[in-house]
Short mmCIF file of all heavy atoms in Angstrom, two decimals:
data_model
loop_
_atom_site.label_atom_id
_atom_site.label_comp_id
_atom_site.label_asym_id
_atom_site.label_seq_id
_atom_site.Cartn_x
_atom_site.Cartn_y
_atom_site.Cartn_z
N ALA A 68 107.20 109.65 87.22
CA ALA A 68 106.56 108.46 87.81
C ALA A 68 107.05 108.39 89.24
O ALA A 68 108.27 108.37 89.50
CB ALA A 68 106.95 107.22 87.04
N SER A 69 106.14 108.38 90.19
CA SER A 69 106.54 108.36 91.59
C SER A 69 106.62 106.93 92.17
O SER A 69 107.22 106.72 93.21
CB SER A 69 105.63 109.21 92.45
OG SER A 69 104.29 108.78 92.30
N HIS A 70 106.07 105.96 91.48
CA HIS A 70 106.22 104.57 91.89
C HIS A 70 107.42 104.01 91.15
O HIS A 70 107.40 103.91 89.92
CB HIS A 70 104.98 103.74 91.58
CG HIS A 70 105.18 102.27 91.84
ND1 HIS A 70 105.23 101.76 93.11
CD2 HIS A 70 105.41 101.24 90.99
CE1 HIS A 70 105.47 100.46 93.05
NE2 HIS A 70 105.57 100.12 91.76
N VAL A 71 108.50 103.71 91.89
CA VAL A 71 109.73 103.28 91.25
C VAL A 71 110.07 101.87 91.68
O VAL A 71 110.16 101.57 92.87
CB VAL A 71 110.91 104.19 91.62
CG1 VAL A 71 112.17 103.77 90.91
CG2 VAL A 71 110.58 105.67 91.27
N VAL A 72 110.26 101.00 90.72
CA VAL A 72 110.76 99.65 90.98
C VAL A 72 112.27 99.77 90.88
O VAL A 72 112.83 100.18 89.86
CB VAL A 72 110.23 98.64 89.94
CG1 VAL A 72 110.86 97.28 90.16
CG2 VAL A 72 108.72 98.57 90.01
N CYS A 73 112.96 99.43 91.96
CA CYS A 73 114.42 99.58 92.01
C CYS A 73 115.03 98.36 92.69
O CYS A 73 114.31 97.48 93.18
CB CYS A 73 114.83 100.87 92.73
SG CYS A 73 114.19 101.00 94.42
N ALA A 74 116.35 98.31 92.65
CA ALA A 74 117.07 97.17 93.26
C ALA A 74 118.36 97.69 93.89
O ALA A 74 118.83 98.78 93.54
CB ALA A 74 117.35 96.13 92.21
N THR A 75 118.93 96.88 94.74
CA THR A 75 120.24 97.19 95.31
C THR A 75 121.31 96.45 94.48
O THR A 75 120.99 95.55 93.69
CB THR A 75 120.32 96.75 96.77
OG1 THR A 75 119.98 95.37 96.88
CG2 THR A 75 119.37 97.57 97.63
N SER A 76 122.54 96.82 94.66
CA SER A 76 123.64 96.27 93.85
C SER A 76 123.89 94.79 94.08
O SER A 76 124.55 94.13 93.26
CB SER A 76 124.91 97.05 94.08
OG SER A 76 125.31 96.97 95.43
N ASP A 77 123.35 94.22 95.13
CA ASP A 77 123.54 92.80 95.38
C ASP A 77 122.51 91.90 94.69
O ASP A 77 122.59 90.69 94.76
CB ASP A 77 123.59 92.50 96.90
CG ASP A 77 122.30 92.88 97.60
OD1 ASP A 77 121.53 93.68 97.04
OD2 ASP A 77 122.08 92.41 98.73
N VAL A 78 121.53 92.50 94.04
CA VAL A 78 120.51 91.73 93.31
C VAL A 78 121.13 91.24 92.01
O VAL A 78 121.74 92.00 91.28
CB VAL A 78 119.25 92.61 93.04
CG1 VAL A 78 118.27 91.86 92.15
CG2 VAL A 78 118.61 93.00 94.35
N GLY A 79 120.94 89.96 91.72
CA GLY A 79 121.52 89.36 90.52
C GLY A 79 120.84 89.78 89.24
O GLY A 79 119.69 90.23 89.24
N VAL A 80 121.57 89.63 88.15
CA VAL A 80 121.07 90.08 86.86
C VAL A 80 119.82 89.28 86.44
O VAL A 80 118.92 89.84 85.80
CB VAL A 80 122.17 90.03 85.77
CG1 VAL A 80 122.56 88.60 85.44
CG2 VAL A 80 121.78 90.77 84.54
N SER A 81 119.72 88.04 86.83
CA SER A 81 118.52 87.25 86.50
C SER A 81 117.29 87.80 87.22
O SER A 81 116.19 87.83 86.66
CB SER A 81 118.72 85.79 86.89
OG SER A 81 119.69 85.21 86.07
N GLU A 82 117.47 88.25 88.45
CA GLU A 82 116.34 88.87 89.19
C GLU A 82 115.97 90.21 88.58
O GLU A 82 114.79 90.53 88.50
CB GLU A 82 116.73 89.02 90.67
CG GLU A 82 115.66 89.70 91.52
CD GLU A 82 114.34 88.95 91.61
OE1 GLU A 82 114.24 87.78 91.21
OE2 GLU A 82 113.35 89.57 92.06
N ILE A 83 116.94 90.98 88.16
CA ILE A 83 116.69 92.24 87.46
C ILE A 83 115.86 91.96 86.21
O ILE A 83 114.87 92.65 85.93
CB ILE A 83 117.96 92.99 87.12
CG1 ILE A 83 118.74 93.37 88.37
CG2 ILE A 83 117.68 94.21 86.23
CD1 ILE A 83 118.11 94.45 89.22
N GLU A 84 116.25 90.95 85.46
CA GLU A 84 115.54 90.58 84.25
C GLU A 84 114.08 90.21 84.56
O GLU A 84 113.15 90.63 83.89
CB GLU A 84 116.26 89.41 83.57
CG GLU A 84 115.60 88.95 82.30
CD GLU A 84 116.30 87.74 81.69
OE1 GLU A 84 117.12 87.09 82.35
OE2 GLU A 84 116.00 87.48 80.50
N ARG A 85 113.86 89.45 85.63
CA ARG A 85 112.52 89.08 86.05
C ARG A 85 111.69 90.31 86.41
O ARG A 85 110.54 90.43 86.04
CB ARG A 85 112.58 88.11 87.23
CG ARG A 85 111.20 87.58 87.65
CD ARG A 85 111.17 87.04 89.06
NE ARG A 85 111.44 88.06 90.06
CZ ARG A 85 110.58 89.03 90.45
NH1 ARG A 85 109.40 89.11 89.90
NH2 ARG A 85 110.90 89.89 91.39
N MET A 86 112.32 91.25 87.13
CA MET A 86 111.62 92.47 87.55
C MET A 86 111.23 93.28 86.32
O MET A 86 110.13 93.84 86.25
CB MET A 86 112.52 93.31 88.47
CG MET A 86 112.77 92.67 89.81
SD MET A 86 114.11 93.44 90.73
CE MET A 86 113.44 95.07 91.03
N MET A 87 112.12 93.38 85.34
CA MET A 87 111.80 94.12 84.10
C MET A 87 110.59 93.51 83.39
O MET A 87 109.70 94.22 82.97
CB MET A 87 113.01 94.13 83.18
CG MET A 87 114.10 95.08 83.58
SD MET A 87 115.47 94.99 82.41
CE MET A 87 116.40 96.44 82.86
N ALA A 88 110.58 92.18 83.28
CA ALA A 88 109.50 91.49 82.60
C ALA A 88 108.19 91.68 83.37
O ALA A 88 107.15 92.02 82.78
CB ALA A 88 109.80 90.01 82.44
N GLU A 89 108.23 91.49 84.68
CA GLU A 89 107.00 91.58 85.50
C GLU A 89 106.39 92.96 85.47
O GLU A 89 105.18 93.10 85.41
CB GLU A 89 107.34 91.17 86.95
CG GLU A 89 106.16 91.27 87.87
CD GLU A 89 106.50 90.93 89.32
OE1 GLU A 89 107.52 90.22 89.55
OE2 GLU A 89 105.76 91.36 90.21
N HIS A 90 107.22 93.99 85.53
CA HIS A 90 106.73 95.36 85.64
C HIS A 90 106.76 96.13 84.31
O HIS A 90 106.45 97.31 84.29
CB HIS A 90 107.52 96.12 86.69
CG HIS A 90 107.40 95.54 88.06
ND1 HIS A 90 106.29 95.73 88.86
CD2 HIS A 90 108.24 94.76 88.77
CE1 HIS A 90 106.46 95.08 90.00
NE2 HIS A 90 107.63 94.48 89.98
N GLN A 91 107.14 95.43 83.24
CA GLN A 91 107.25 96.04 81.90
C GLN A 91 108.11 97.29 81.92
O GLN A 91 107.72 98.35 81.47
CB GLN A 91 105.87 96.36 81.33
CG GLN A 91 105.05 95.15 80.98
CD GLN A 91 103.77 95.54 80.29
OE1 GLN A 91 102.80 95.86 80.95
NE2 GLN A 91 103.78 95.48 78.94
N LEU A 92 109.32 97.13 82.44
CA LEU A 92 110.25 98.25 82.54
C LEU A 92 111.49 98.01 81.68
O LEU A 92 112.02 96.89 81.62
CB LEU A 92 110.69 98.43 84.00
CG LEU A 92 109.59 98.78 84.99
CD1 LEU A 92 110.11 98.70 86.41
CD2 LEU A 92 109.06 100.17 84.66
N ARG A 93 111.99 99.06 81.06
CA ARG A 93 113.19 98.98 80.26
C ARG A 93 114.45 99.33 81.05
O ARG A 93 115.55 99.11 80.61
CB ARG A 93 113.08 99.94 79.06
CG ARG A 93 111.99 99.56 78.10
CD ARG A 93 111.75 100.66 77.08
NE ARG A 93 110.69 100.30 76.15
CZ ARG A 93 109.40 100.50 76.37
NH1 ARG A 93 109.01 101.09 77.51
NH2 ARG A 93 108.49 100.14 75.52
N ARG A 94 114.24 99.91 82.24
CA ARG A 94 115.36 100.35 83.08
C ARG A 94 115.01 100.13 84.53
O ARG A 94 113.86 100.37 84.94
CB ARG A 94 115.62 101.84 82.87
CG ARG A 94 115.81 102.25 81.43
CD ARG A 94 115.50 103.74 81.27
NE ARG A 94 115.50 104.18 79.88
CZ ARG A 94 114.42 104.33 79.16
NH1 ARG A 94 113.22 104.13 79.65
NH2 ARG A 94 114.53 104.75 77.91
N ILE A 95 116.00 99.74 85.32
CA ILE A 95 115.83 99.57 86.77
C ILE A 95 116.93 100.37 87.44
O ILE A 95 118.13 100.08 87.24
CB ILE A 95 115.92 98.09 87.19
CG1 ILE A 95 114.88 97.23 86.49
CG2 ILE A 95 115.85 97.96 88.71
CD1 ILE A 95 113.52 97.21 87.09
N PRO A 96 116.59 101.37 88.26
CA PRO A 96 117.63 102.09 89.00
C PRO A 96 118.19 101.21 90.11
O PRO A 96 117.46 100.45 90.74
CB PRO A 96 116.91 103.31 89.56
CG PRO A 96 115.48 102.99 89.53
CD PRO A 96 115.27 101.95 88.49
N ILE A 97 119.49 101.34 90.32
CA ILE A 97 120.16 100.63 91.40
C ILE A 97 120.46 101.63 92.51
O ILE A 97 120.99 102.72 92.23
CB ILE A 97 121.47 99.95 90.88
CG1 ILE A 97 121.18 99.07 89.68
CG2 ILE A 97 122.15 99.19 92.00
CD1 ILE A 97 120.15 97.97 89.91
#
Side-chain angles (χ1 to χ4, degrees):
S69 57
H70 173 74
V71 182
V72 175
C73 56
T75 56
S76 59
D77 60 342
V78 174
V80 69
S81 294
E82 177 62 12
I83 297 290
E84 180 182 14
R85 185 200 63 75
M86 292 167 65
M87 285 179 165
E89 178 182 337
H90 298 283
Q91 291 187 277
L92 297 170
R93 295 170 181 87
R94 307 157 187 100
I95 302 277
I97 305 303

